[in-house]
């Protein structure tokens, strides 16, 4: 009934709602090539004018950081001098 | 062994704390195996329901009474295909392949919502589905927008935005028929009679018979129990039926001021759980028909998928030759 069929390529879809905003990830789709990926991305993720530009990227081409190394990768608690509140400025200087 | 066991408990506790802090879980985060499995099952069933749900309504696309109705129904059915795809993609982030899910649906192994195993003999059934079935789906789906699993919650937000048109178009069909000739009103009433109880059953077994609910609530996959959602549904639909002069087919239906913690709600009659389980187990009026329709579509689409692959390969080869 269901023959052995190949899995199609998985693509991640990014949509830019309008100029001035960045493309944002909205999900994924399956398609055998870029043209069909673009066509499906449009049909699946933009049926109500959600965007004016679409990017599709093969999921396997995305390099991702290791979630188990979140601490090491992103911790900056020891670098509080990178934040404005670290610096003492008299109150009457006003907004700075 | 003892050490391993302790570590397992510690990581379970850390996971629960994360959930309790209302943090979302993302695909690559560590998670208990049961959490992953529960989600794969739930999201998979949800996706299959959207896909099979296209069949009873698809049955009326070519026979819609006006062009306006036809456009709406086409758009709605297309949305349901989209919902299925958003959800398959959410389930895939948990490590289950699309092909595996498709095979499970086609072989009859996977479950989908039993509501789609009922037939749509008249145009009014399309109204009843939009109003009641999409109405029940919305009740279920709104709390899922806050589900602890990020990709599922995001898919649900997208879906909920699209659902409200589905329910409104269904109610509009019922309203139009109810205002029409005596025959048309009768047709609407009969459709309500057919769809009412199956819709009430859509929320699943009573809480006392739903052993997985507790864990799902604890993990914030579910935010309300089956009976809580069912009560919300009945309370919302009864006045809508009254408004268009249709009668909910339940002689035990009455206002009960003790319901909803004293705020009042509708008491409703006993649900026929034998029927519910019969349909879940495959003995509904349309179970076989639905699966064979999916198998037929898959088999007949096989050459299209093969051609698409061949075309992709040909272009890739040409591109490599040019480089
Ligand atoms: Fe849907
Ligand atoms: Fe819907």
């Amino acid at each position: 009934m269901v023959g052995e069929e190949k899995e199609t390529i998985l693509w991640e879809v990014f949509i830019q709602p309008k100029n001035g905003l960045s493309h944002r990830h909205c999900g994924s789709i399956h398609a055998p090539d870029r043209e069909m990926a673009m066509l499906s991305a449009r049909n699946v993720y933009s049926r109500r004018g959600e965007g004016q530009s679409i990017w599709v990227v093969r999921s396997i081409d995305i390099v991702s950081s290791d979630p188990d190394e979140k601490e090491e990768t992103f911790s900056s608690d020891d670098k509080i001098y990178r934040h404005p509140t670290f610096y003492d400025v008299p109150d009457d200087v006003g907004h700075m | 062994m003892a050490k391993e066991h302790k570590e397992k408990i510690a990581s379970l506790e850390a996971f629960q704390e994360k959930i309790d802090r209302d943090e979302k879980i993302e695909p690559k985060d560590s998670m208990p195996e049961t959490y992953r499995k529960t989600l794969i099952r739930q999201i998979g069933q949800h996706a299959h329901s959207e896909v099979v749900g296209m069949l009873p309504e698809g049955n009326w696309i070519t026979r819609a009474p006006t062009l306006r109705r036809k456009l709406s129904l086409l758009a709605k059915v297309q949305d349901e295909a989209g919902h299925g795809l958003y959800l398959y993609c959410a389930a895939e982030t948990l490590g289950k392949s699309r092909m595996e899910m498709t095979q499970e649906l086609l072989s009859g192994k996977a479950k989908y919502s039993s509501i789609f195993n009922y037939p749509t003999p008249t145009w009014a059934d399309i109204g009843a589905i939009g109003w009641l079935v999409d109405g029940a789906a919305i009740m279920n789906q709104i709390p899922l927008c806050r589900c602890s699993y990020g990709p599922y919650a995001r898919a649900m937000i997208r879906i909920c935005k699209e659902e409200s048109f589905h329910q409104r178009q269904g109610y509009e069909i019922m309203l139009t028929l109810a205002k029409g000739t005596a025959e048309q009103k009768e047709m609407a009433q009969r459709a309500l009679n057919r769809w009412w109880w199956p819709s009430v059953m859509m929320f699943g077994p009573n809480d006392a018979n739903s052993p997985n609910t507790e864990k799902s609530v604890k993990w914030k996959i579910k935010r309300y129990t089956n009976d809580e959602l069912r009560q919300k549904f009945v309370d919302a639909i009864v006045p809508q039926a009254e408004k268009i002069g249709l009668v909910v087919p339940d002689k035990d239906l009455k206002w009960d001021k003790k319901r909803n913690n004293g705020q009042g709600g509708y008491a409703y009659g006993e649900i026929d759980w034998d029927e519910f389980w019969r349909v879940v187990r495959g003995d509904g009026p349309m179970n076989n028909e639905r699966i064979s329709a999916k198998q037929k579509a898959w088999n007949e689409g096989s050459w299209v998928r093969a051609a698409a692959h061949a075309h992709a390969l040909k272009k890739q080869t040409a591109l490599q030759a040019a480089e």
Side-chain angles (χ1 to χ4, degrees):
Chain A
M1 179 197 64
V2 183
E4 271 303 300
E5 281 203 45
K6 274 205 315 209
E7 274 286 344
T8 39
I9 298 166
L10 187 65
W11 306 74
E12 299 302 321
V13 181
F14 300 80
I15 290 197
Q16 181 185 38
K18 56 180 188 191
N19 271 9
L21 297 175
S22 43
H23 284 73
R24 194 170 167 193
H25 182 246
C26 63
S28 64
I29 42 121
H30 280 266
D33 62 27
R34 320 148 163 260
E35 283 76 22
M36 292 193 65
M38 187 53 86
L39 196 67
S40 304
R42 188 246 158 250
N43 287 342
V44 175
Y45 292 104
S46 180
R47 289 191 298 284
R48 290 176 174 78
E50 287 89 339
Q52 54 121 34
S53 166
I54 301 179
W55 289 347
V56 288
V57 184
R58 276 170 179 257
S59 309
I60 49 161
D61 286 341
I62 291 180
V63 183
S64 160
S65 60
D66 183 346
D68 292 331
E69 284 171 14
K70 261 184 208 165
E71 293 280 293
E72 298 87 316
T73 318
F74 301 106
S75 163
S76 62
D77 294 350
D78 54 338
K79 298 186 181 66
I80 48 171
Y81 48 84
R82 285 180 172 167
H83 297 279
T85 45
F86 180 74
Y87 301 91
D88 288 324
V89 171
D91 286 345
D92 51 11
V93 170
H95 182 74
M96 183 183 274
Chain B
M1 200 58 198
K3 184 171 165 254
E4 238 172 59
H5 186 65
K6 259 189 204 158
E7 273 172 6
K8 210 171 157 192
I9 291 194
S11 79
L12 254 178
E13 277 169 2
F15 181 78
Q16 189 61 52
E17 278 164 23
K18 203 170 161 184
I19 298 274
D20 293 343
R21 284 195 302 270
D22 257 337
E23 273 180 46
K24 295 285 180 198
I25 308 301
E26 292 296 337
K28 292 189 172 166
D29 292 344
S30 65
M31 60 184 89
E33 233 2 73
T34 4
Y35 179 82
R36 179 188 301 276
K37 284 206 180 116
T38 304
L39 276 167
I40 289 179
R41 201 189 54 229
Q42 181 171 335
I43 303 174
Q45 284 180 6
H46 196 161
H48 297 322
S49 303
E50 302 283 352
V51 168
V52 178
M54 288 190 278
L55 297 170
E57 290 179 299
N59 179 35
W60 277 91
I61 290 176
T62 55
R63 293 178 287 160
T66 65
L67 186 58
R68 180 178 184 270
R69 294 285 184 224
K70 186 170 178 159
L71 283 174
S72 309
L73 189 57
L74 261 174
K76 179 188 188 288
V77 172
Q78 198 186 13
D79 274 352
E80 306 301 2
H83 297 175
L85 294 177
Y86 308 157
L87 288 162
Y88 282 131
C89 113
E92 281 185 279
T93 63
L94 290 157
K96 180 139 184 171
S97 79
R98 171 76 61 87
M99 195 57 82
E100 217 180 323
M101 287 186 275
T102 305
Q103 305 240 10
E104 284 181 3
L105 175 64
L106 295 174
S107 71
K109 184 180 170 219
K111 294 260 176 279
Y112 55 85
S113 179
S114 277
I115 193 82
F116 302 118
N117 289 320
Y118 290 87
T120 44
T122 71
W123 172 249
D125 291 84
I126 300 307
I129 289 185
W131 175 32
L132 302 174
V133 177
D134 288 79
I138 292 170
M139 286 292 170
N140 237 327
Q141 291 174 161
I142 286 176
L144 286 172
C145 295
R146 294 185 294 131
C147 165
S148 59
Y149 188 59
Y152 192 25
R154 292 193 285 275
M156 289 324 307
I157 291 172
R158 189 170 271 281
I159 288 174
C160 284
K161 270 192 203 151
E162 301 181 350
E163 286 291 358
S164 78
F165 125 65
H166 298 180
Q167 195 185 17
R168 289 173 68 109
Q169 67 89 37
Y171 190 61
E172 197 195 76
I173 291 173
M174 293 303 259
L175 168 87
T176 310
L177 289 172
K179 281 195 310 201
T181 62
E183 256 177 309
Q184 286 170 325
K185 185 169 182 183
E186 175 68 18
M187 192 202 278
Q189 181 62 51
R190 281 174 189 237
L192 171 56
N193 295 351
R194 276 193 289 278
W195 289 91
W196 174 255
W197 287 109
S199 301
V200 171
M201 291 177 199
M202 271 178 79
F203 298 93
N206 285 131
D207 294 349
N209 297 317
S210 177
N212 298 325
T213 294
E214 198 193 326
K215 192 169 251 174
S216 286
V217 169
K218 201 173 128 207
W219 277 339
K220 295 189 183 165
I221 296 173
K222 273 177 111 155
R223 297 276 177 162
Y224 297 98
T225 67
N226 297 352
D227 288 331
E228 285 168 341
L229 291 168
R230 191 168 5 247
Q231 184 67 50
K232 278 175 193 275
F233 174 74
V234 174
D235 291 344
I237 297 292
V238 172
Q240 292 169 1
E242 277 168 11
K243 188 135 212 137
I244 55 176
L246 296 180
V247 183
V248 170
D250 177 359
K251 58 179 176 15
D252 297 319
L253 193 76
K254 58 170 188 290
W255 186 255
D256 173 3
K257 50 182 201 280
K258 290 202 291 284
R259 298 240 160 172
N260 296 321
N261 298 319
Q263 289 183 320
Y266 286 94
Y268 49 90
E270 192 59 43
I271 293 168
D272 181 355
W273 293 112
D274 287 341
E275 174 180 332
F276 174 79
W277 289 114
R278 216 168 37 240
V279 183
V280 168
R281 292 196 184 109
D283 249 343
M286 301 293 276
N287 295 55
N288 290 335
E289 175 108 15
R290 299 297 182 232
I291 292 298
S292 1
K294 288 314 297 171
Q295 290 169 348
K296 181 165 178 272
W298 178 261
N299 293 335
E300 289 178 356
S302 149
W303 70 270
V304 179
R305 294 188 298 278
H309 277 296
H311 181 69
L313 195 69
K314 194 172 104 188
K315 272 206 317 209
Q316 200 191 351
T317 324
L319 206 71
Q320 276 164 355
E323 268 170 9

